[in-house]
Amino acid sequence: MTHSFGEGLMMDTLEESLPIPEAAPSTVAHGVLDTFFTELEGTDGFDAVAKRLRKVVLTDGSFAETAIRQALFDEDAAP
Amino acid sequence: MIRVEEITVHEFRGIRELTLDLKGSNFAVCGPNGTGKSGIVDALEFALTGNISRLSGAGTGGLSVKEHGPHVDSRNKPDQAYVTLKVTIPSLGKQATIHRSVKDAKSPTITPNDADVRDVFDAVALHPEFVLSRRELIRYVLSEPGKRSKEVQALLRLDEIETLRAVLQKISNASSKTSEQLQMPKRDAGIALATALQVTDLNVVNLLAQVNARRAVLSLPEITALTATTSLKDGLASQAGGAAPSRVSKTQAETDLKALAEALGVLADASFVTDCNAAREACEGLAKDPAALEAVSREALLRSALKLFDGGHCPVCDTAWSPEHFKQHVDEKLEHFAEVAARRKVIEGQFLSISQKMDSARAALAAAKKYGPLLEPAVDVTALGTYQERLLGWSNQLGAFLPLSKSIDCLSAAAVAPDLYETLASLTASVAAIPEPTEQEAARDYLLIGQEKLETHRAASLELKRAQDRAAKAAKVLELYGTVTTAALDAIYKEVETAFSDLYREVNRDDESAFTAQLTPSIGKLGFDVDFYGRGHFPPGAYHSEGHQDGMGLCLYLALMGHLQKAGFTFAVLDDVLMSVDSGHRREVCNLLRAQFPDTQFIVTTHDEIWLRHMKTAGLIQPGGSAHFRKWTVDLGPTEWDDKDVWDEIEADVASGKVQAAAGTLRHYLEYFAREICHRLRAKVEFHGDAQHSLGDLLPPALAAVGDAFKQGKKAANSWGNQPVVEAIAAQEAIFAEARKATNVDEWQLNKAVHYNEWASLHKADFEPVVAAFKQLVSGLKCQTCSEVFYITPAFGNKEAFRCRCGIVNVSLLSK
């Protein structure tokens, strides 16, 4: 059956215009860690510690004990 | 993050060569068991991650992607086993291709090789949870809380939170331990300083009084304040530049020997012996009571566990714990030992008093024995060193408390006064023989030695303070971390709990419209309880059916993925999940996926054709959005219900005389085709409760529906006075009638000889016309332009049009 009947009604188009979602947010864990660093920054005497820890963990992506210790104590990493 | 446009699989798993056009939309892969559906899932997973989870994990020993990824006939040609995906990356507005072979599983080829494109693929590769199979579904719903916690934490990528917490705990523990360890050196340095300065304690006023008395002898100005940098020898000229004298300072030696004599006297005193005996009797009383002794051991174990807890796992059994809950748990156990703990505390107090006297004697011995080799002639001080070590051992044992038997032995030995008087007498005599220093020399020695001891004390104090500051800082950070992350995680689980409950209610609104759930993180676990018809909250497996549990697993997965990726949740593979869910609820699942996740591309595999229909009816799958596998062979891989393939296969079998095989294939294909026609044209089929319909149940009503469509179309065109359309329909109707007659479908009930049950026993020459007739009939029910089977719209309600997908055939069924 190849006849076209009438003018042909509106053709179905399966071409959807795909909506473009927002860029993927940071991970859930990073969100939680960010909250912690912000809280720590607001704690008296821990502003510098918080900034150093934020850099190590969120910027540099390091969870190594040495790096964390250095960030905590801002001196030689040896205990 | 991505949407898959097309997948090409070559010599991979059970697939020889297959390309599926997904168009970035939802797609279903349907087929009986063993037809290759899972091969598609494996291919998607492999292309995006380089791994096939089916070949790894528990119970897959000996399996690997390298060996078992390629098709079995290509197992020695891993370069020939590959998967290529064409994808769209909505966030970047780009299209890309990823090509991965088994040979280079870790190094896919990405085109374009842009950094942002690679980042997206890297992100997907790190998290294969885009595939949900029934085994994961079960893990989320039915596993033990501890395992569920790990699964969910891994899916939500919360492992980093735990990692940092463990590191902070470790640093805090180490800092605290270091701080404790530095207490004794400071105490010893204080004792040595006090002895050297000949004061009973480090009271600054008394100390300065003694120091200034010596300074006055040397005409040095008074020291009025003792600061952190004050030098007791300030202003003192020395041949050695102010360093301590190399000769034995008679005054200092006499002081140290006197201190030693006093310390030894304390240990020999009757009161010390009494203290040791009293402590020993208390220990023996405890040791005689087996229950109390065991309680002491258990209590000690619990205290050790608290001390050794690394913040994440019990040091005894490795069970995962959060710090707060571990302490709570152990404290509750310790409460049972309150009575024996009280007795232990009293004994520990006795031990402390005894240890302190031992420590004083030990420090005095250390100070005195150094003179031995310096004196003329040298004095053998071996006995002093030996006793010093024994005192250290006893002090350490009393500090440890257990085993009680050893503590009892220590107390017995300590009560016996040491015989050191001969060595002490020798030392005393040798020191006495040293010429008396002048007053100035004595004053100078006092200041030099005093300063040396003061510097040692200062260093020890500074190191202790630094360690204490570190310990306090680490403890504070850890405490705050625990508070903040616990609150944040509670909030996350609450959000997921709400989302999950909403999704589940939507699917089960018919009978569980009041459903709620409880996700409860605690003690390193994730509790998961669900409401059961208002009777309370219970684990999902307690009262809910398997079908409901499957639904819960899917809803929990969707809630977690939605929370994790938010707008980035653009792709997921649902691999034959919802097996136990009934058709009504599966329809609701289709509606849910379409309505709640309109921007997510779902690739669904199922063996259930009815669910495939639900997906199509609900609009979850669009026409062309499915692959229906009919069979699988090792030589060909999966075979779709594709017209060309089917007729080629049938005609090849007929040509080679395999009428029986050809007849079987023809029948199965026609059953599949007839179901499609019945669904698309809304045919009236006799109801069977088991939903099993044979060809005889399907094809006649399907053809009747085609005939009805022609009639209704002519009637409608007639009512509108559209004669050309009437004539066109009539012409097609005649062609269809002829094709229908050639198939003898209408004769099946009347003439057994032409019934499809007899096809298998026909000769080749008799069966060939049958094949040709049905091929002609099937061809006539498809649009020659878009190759799609005709359908009636809408799917429910009044029939309005008979049409094809491309619209070139579009017949109104609505009369004027």
Side-chain angles (χ1 to χ4, degrees):
Chain A
M1 291 181 35
T2 59
H3 286 262
S4 171
F5 296 95
E7 293 295 320
L9 293 178
M10 182 178 66
M11 285 174 63
D12 268 351
T13 173
L14 297 178
E15 297 277 334
E16 306 177 58
S17 56
L18 298 175
I20 298 176
E22 297 170 3
S26 59
T27 64
V28 173
H30 280 204
V32 173
L33 294 174
D34 183 68
T35 302
F36 162 66
F37 294 134
T38 302
E39 191 77 22
L40 190 62
E41 276 170 14
T43 304
D44 197 29
F46 284 84
D47 179 59
V49 173
K51 286 184 166 67
R52 290 194 300 268
L53 278 173
R54 184 193 290 276
K55 181 182 179 304
V56 165
V57 173
L58 293 186
T59 306
D60 300 341
S62 173
F63 289 82
E65 186 183 333
T66 308
I68 302 291
R69 191 190 300 278
Q70 280 184 312
L72 260 179
F73 302 135
D74 192 27
E75 47 190 275
D76 190 291
Chain B
M1 288 184 271
I2 63 168
R3 297 177 84 102
V4 178
E5 302 289 338
E6 182 183 278
I7 176 172
T8 298
V9 187
H10 183 80
E11 296 294 317
F12 181 82
R13 298 294 282 153
I15 300 172
R16 300 314 296 255
E17 180 73 45
L18 179 68
T19 295
L20 296 177
D21 186 9
L22 279 60
K23 297 184 176 59
S25 300
N26 295 334
F27 196 87
V29 181
C30 180
N33 293 338
T35 52
K37 303 188 298 295
S38 295
I40 301 295
V41 177
D42 292 347
L44 285 164
E45 187 187 358
F46 174 74
L48 292 171
T49 70
N51 188 34
I52 304 172
S53 54
R54 210 185 301 274
L55 299 180
S56 61
T60 61
L63 303 181
S64 69
V65 171
K66 190 177 172 187
E67 285 194 42
H68 306 103
H71 187 275
V72 66
D73 290 343
S74 293
R75 56 190 183 276
N76 296 323
K77 292 177 272 183
D79 56 315
Q80 293 296 308
Y82 63 79
V83 182
T84 304
L85 296 185
K86 291 182 185 172
V87 306
T88 300
I89 305 175
S91 61
L92 302 179
K94 286 183 177 179
Q95 295 202 315
T97 302
I98 182 168
H99 172 90
R100 197 188 297 261
S101 73
V102 171
K103 185 176 180 210
D104 295 309
K106 293 191 189 329
S107 306
T109 302
I110 293 172
T111 311
N113 194 19
D114 299 342
D116 53 357
V117 171
R118 287 200 309 274
D119 285 346
V120 169
F121 281 119
D122 286 346
V124 175
L126 284 176
H127 295 278
E129 60 268 2
F130 59 81
V131 175
L132 175 71
S133 70
R134 193 138 199 286
R135 60 174 176 274
E136 282 90 32
L137 193 148
I138 294 296
R139 284 209 292 261
Y140 294 136
V141 175
L142 295 180
S143 62
E144 291 176 7
K147 284 185 184 169
R148 180 186 303 117
S149 174
K150 285 181 184 169
E151 295 287 340
V152 171
Q153 285 200 9
L155 189 146
L156 287 175
R157 310 185 200 179
L158 298 178
D159 43 329
E160 289 179 336
I161 295 179
E162 176 58 26
T163 300
L164 181 57
R165 191 202 55 72
V167 171
L168 290 174
Q169 178 76 63
K170 193 173 176 189
I171 293 172
S172 180
N173 287 353
S175 302
S176 180
K177 190 173 174 185
T178 300
S179 171
E180 284 175 18
Q181 288 170 344
L182 290 174
Q183 305 246 10
M184 185 176 282
K186 185 192 170 184
R187 190 168 64 243
D188 287 350
I191 294 171
L193 176 61
T195 303
L197 296 182
Q198 298 173 25
V199 294
T200 53
D201 58 54
L202 296 179
N203 176 279
V204 173
V205 171
N206 296 341
L207 189 152
L208 284 180
Q210 294 288 329
V211 167
N212 286 328
R214 274 63 171 192
R215 286 178 69 82
V217 168
L218 298 171
S219 303
L220 293 172
E222 249 188 25
I223 294 174
T224 55
L226 190 63
T227 68
T229 56
T230 301
S231 172
L232 302 182
K233 64 180 182 183
D234 186 37
L236 180 68
S238 161
Q239 289 178 354
S246 57
R247 59 177 172 78
V248 173
S249 165
K250 182 172 181 174
T251 311
Q252 187 61 47
E254 285 176 340
T255 303
D256 289 338
L257 291 177
K258 183 183 172 194
L260 177 58
E262 287 172 358
L264 292 177
V266 165
L267 297 186
D269 191 78
S271 63
F272 181 77
V273 175
T274 303
D275 290 345
C276 287
N277 289 337
R280 194 190 71 243
E281 283 167 13
C283 286
E284 284 168 349
L286 205 58
K288 276 180 193 163
D289 181 352
L293 187 61
E294 187 183 328
V296 164
S297 297
R298 285 179 176 273
E299 197 247 357
L301 175 67
L302 292 170
R303 289 195 185 283
S304 294
L306 272 177
K307 213 170 179 178
L308 295 170
F309 179 63
D310 67 358
H313 299 84
C314 170
V316 179
C317 64
D318 291 331
T319 301
W321 291 85
S322 72
E324 303 77 23
H325 292 114
F326 183 74
K327 186 173 185 312
Q328 180 188 345
H329 181 69
V330 174
D331 283 346
E332 284 170 4
K333 285 181 172 292
L334 284 171
E335 281 174 14
H336 295 302
F337 302 114
E339 190 264 330
V340 77
R343 288 171 70 180
R344 176 180 172 143
K345 196 169 179 182
V346 168
I347 298 172
E348 281 178 336
Q350 291 171 308
F351 280 8
L352 181 63
S353 170
I354 293 166
S355 292
Q356 283 174 341
K357 286 168 185 159
M358 288 181 181
D359 290 342
S360 295
R362 193 167 46 77
L365 283 163
K369 77 175 185 185
K370 71 175 186 290
Y371 295 116
L374 296 177
L375 292 166
E376 294 290 342
V379 175
D380 182 8
V381 293
T382 306
L384 298 186
T386 302
Y387 191 62
Q388 181 191 1
E389 284 176 17
R390 292 179 72 193
L391 284 173
L392 180 63
W394 294 337
S395 181
N396 286 341
Q397 174 56 43
L398 293 182
F401 196 82
L402 292 174
L404 275 179
S405 56
K406 282 195 174 174
S407 291
I408 291 169
D409 290 343
C410 289
L411 292 166
S412 300
V416 177
D419 185 11
L420 298 174
Y421 293 101
E422 186 178 329
T423 306
L424 187 57
S426 297
L427 281 171
T428 304
S430 292
V431 168
I434 297 172
E436 286 294 332
T438 63
E439 192 181 14
Q440 284 76 17
E441 283 175 339
R444 183 172 171 277
D445 289 347
Y446 177 94
L447 293 175
L448 289 173
I449 293 172
Q451 178 62 22
E452 184 186 309
K453 301 295 183 192
L454 178 62
E455 284 169 5
T456 302
H457 183 257
R458 277 173 177 159
S461 299
L462 184 62
E463 200 169 347
L464 175 61
K465 180 163 190 324
R466 192 175 291 153
Q468 286 172 332
D469 288 346
R470 282 183 166 189
K473 185 182 279 187
K476 176 66 182 174
V477 169
L478 180 65
E479 182 194 356
L480 186 65
Y481 188 80
T483 304
V484 171
T485 56
T486 298
L489 290 177
D490 282 348
I492 288 169
Y493 286 127
K494 184 56 67 180
E495 283 182 35
V496 172
E497 174 190 292
T498 301
F500 160 73
S501 300
D502 289 344
L503 291 172
Y504 185 84
R505 273 198 301 274
E506 192 161 327
V507 173
N508 295 276
R509 69 169 79 89
D510 57 339
D511 60 348
E512 291 193 82
S513 59
F515 174 86
T516 56
Q518 290 173 346
L519 275 177
T520 316
S522 67
I523 319 177
K525 302 175 184 176
L526 184 59
F528 181 36
D529 293 318
V530 295
D531 168 69
F532 184 71
Y533 297 96
R535 266 52 168 194
H537 286 79
F538 308 95
Y543 296 108
H544 278 91
S545 71
E546 204 169 287
H548 284 91
Q549 290 168 35
D550 279 5
M552 284 181 202
L554 176 62
C555 291
L556 182 58
Y557 170 80
L558 292 171
L560 289 166
M561 291 296 276
H563 185 86
L564 175 65
Q565 297 191 21
K566 300 209 171 36
F569 181 37
T570 60
F571 174 73
V573 178
L574 307 180
D575 186 16
D576 220 350
V577 297
L578 307 185
M579 284 196 306
S580 303
V581 175
D582 59 47
S583 61
H585 287 111
R586 282 196 209 174
R587 194 178 294 116
E588 293 302 327
V589 168
C590 292
N591 293 335
L592 178 88
L593 296 180
R594 194 172 49 81
Q596 298 296 334
F597 299 92
D599 299 325
T600 304
Q601 178 189 28
F602 289 103
I603 297 176
V604 183
T605 73
T606 181
H607 62 276
D608 190 337
E609 284 188 34
I610 294 180
W611 196 29
L612 178 64
R613 298 214 181 283
H614 286 157
M615 287 191 255
K616 291 178 179 177
T617 305
L620 182 66
I621 305 292
Q622 298 300 320
S626 64
H628 200 150
F629 292 160
R630 59 184 175 96
K631 71 174 185 180
W632 177 90
T633 62
V634 68
D635 292 315
L636 298 176
T639 309
E640 288 187 77
W641 280 121
D642 178 83
D643 243 10
K644 185 176 179 310
D645 287 344
V646 168
W647 293 116
D648 286 348
E649 187 178 320
I650 293 172
E651 286 164 356
D653 281 340
V654 171
S656 52
K658 297 176 188 170
V659 172
Q660 193 172 6
T665 304
L666 178 63
R667 177 180 171 169
H668 286 128
Y669 175 67
L670 289 175
E671 281 174 348
Y672 157 76
F673 185 77
R675 274 195 289 273
E676 280 297 299
I677 291 287
C678 287
H679 174 70
R680 286 166 174 259
L681 298 187
R682 297 168 54 179
K684 290 179 182 152
V685 178
E686 186 177 291
F687 174 77
H688 290 179
D690 60 0
Q692 297 299 308
H693 297 92
S694 67
L695 186 58
D697 298 321
L698 294 167
L699 194 53
L703 299 182
V706 174
D708 289 345
F710 281 128
K711 288 194 179 75
Q712 197 171 345
K714 277 193 308 187
K715 184 181 171 190
N718 232 344
S719 74
W720 292 99
N722 199 336
Q723 196 55 34
V725 173
V726 173
E727 288 169 4
I729 294 174
Q732 290 304 313
E733 189 180 19
I735 294 172
F736 167 70
E738 193 177 323
R740 179 176 177 172
K741 187 178 176 189
T743 62
N744 288 318
V745 171
D746 296 325
E747 301 293 316
W748 281 350
Q749 296 300 323
L750 303 171
N751 186 351
K752 269 183 71 173
V754 301
H755 194 273
Y756 58 83
N757 280 342
E758 300 302 319
W759 288 348
S761 53
L762 291 176
H763 289 298
K764 171 181 164 181
D766 296 324
F767 188 60
E768 279 171 339
V770 174
V771 172
F774 278 103
K775 188 174 179 182
Q776 179 70 23
L777 178 75
V778 167
S779 172
L781 295 174
K782 294 184 177 186
C783 169
Q784 298 305 305
T785 303
C786 65
S787 302
E788 287 282 326
V789 178
F790 299 118
Y791 61 97
I792 283 178
T793 63
F796 302 98
N798 286 335
K799 297 177 183 178
E800 295 179 5
F802 172 91
R803 56 168 297 163
C804 68
R805 185 172 155 195
C806 67
I808 207 165
V809 172
N810 198 340
V811 178
S812 172
L813 301 176
L814 294 173
S815 295
K816 189 176 178 182

